[in-house]
Amino acid sequence: MTYKYFGAPDRATAARVPTALGPGGLGLDAGELGALGRLGDLMETSGSPTGHLSTKIKPETMSAMVLTGIQGVPLHQVPPLELVVLHPDYAVVQLPHNVVEPLRKADITELGAAAFIWSTVQDRRGPRDAFVIYSMLHEWQDFANRLHDAGHQLYCLVWP
């Protein structure tokens, strides 16, 4: 699965993004962040001031990282994503306001603590992964702030 995070002013506009991209546009991928690879490839601009973020990190995982690591919410209380479109070839989900706002407002200490917490998850390699996760959260924070400044909400296009 590949996940393309993007901004849109509303759900109706977000729902039209997959058809605006067309079948060829769904295949764009900026990096292998899920394998904790190069962060330099994380950002890919789409011609708009906000761009988009393509990754292998599930939006559910991103939400859990923010809420458990930054807000201290127990994992079982992380709210579900908001489904915008369900199509046989893709889905579009909206990341809830209660996930995006804490991410946007977190300071470097909170981002570092969240990264450390998530680096201790099974199959992670400790401090090395904590730094990569911290860098990833910081990139997501910058992206979320650019979207907010443009009056957009955060959505994710999911496709196989």
Side-chain angles (χ1 to χ4, degrees):
M1 298 289 267
T2 302
Y3 308 94
K4 183 175 290 190
Y5 294 86
F6 66 95
D10 54 52
R11 293 170 65 90
T13 304
R16 290 191 302 270
V17 165
T19 54
L21 286 173
L26 294 179
L28 297 173
D29 186 18
E32 295 293 327
L33 188 60
L36 297 174
R38 301 176 316 220
L39 288 171
D41 290 339
L42 180 63
M43 294 302 295
E44 177 180 311
T45 59
S46 63
S48 74
T50 55
H52 63 265
L53 209 80
S54 291
T55 180
K56 298 289 184 182
I57 302 289
K58 295 177 183 180
E60 297 89 344
T61 303
M62 190 267 225
S63 292
M65 280 184 183
V66 169
L67 292 178
T68 62
I70 295 172
Q71 295 284 212
V73 173
L75 192 56
H76 70 278
Q77 290 181 358
V78 172
L81 302 173
E82 300 172 18
L83 183 65
V84 176
V85 173
L86 181 59
H87 183 276
D89 298 325
Y90 59 84
V92 175
V93 294
Q94 180 177 4
L95 280 88
H97 182 75
N98 64 345
V99 170
V100 178
E101 283 307 298
L103 174 63
R104 283 188 349 82
K105 295 177 179 177
D107 63 24
I108 59 171
T109 303
E110 291 168 321
L111 292 179
F116 177 76
I117 289 166
W118 279 87
S119 73
T120 63
V121 172
Q122 191 175 17
D123 298 329
R124 295 290 172 227
R125 300 174 297 210
R128 181 183 199 181
D129 282 355
F131 180 76
V132 172
I133 293 168
Y134 169 80
S135 298
M136 175 190 66
L137 287 170
H138 189 66
E139 292 288 339
W140 263 332
Q141 183 181 52
D142 288 346
F143 185 63
N145 281 323
R146 285 197 315 272
L147 293 178
H148 181 264
D149 292 346
H152 290 195
Q153 299 166 35
L154 183 58
Y155 295 90
C156 185
L157 171 60
V158 179
W159 76 96

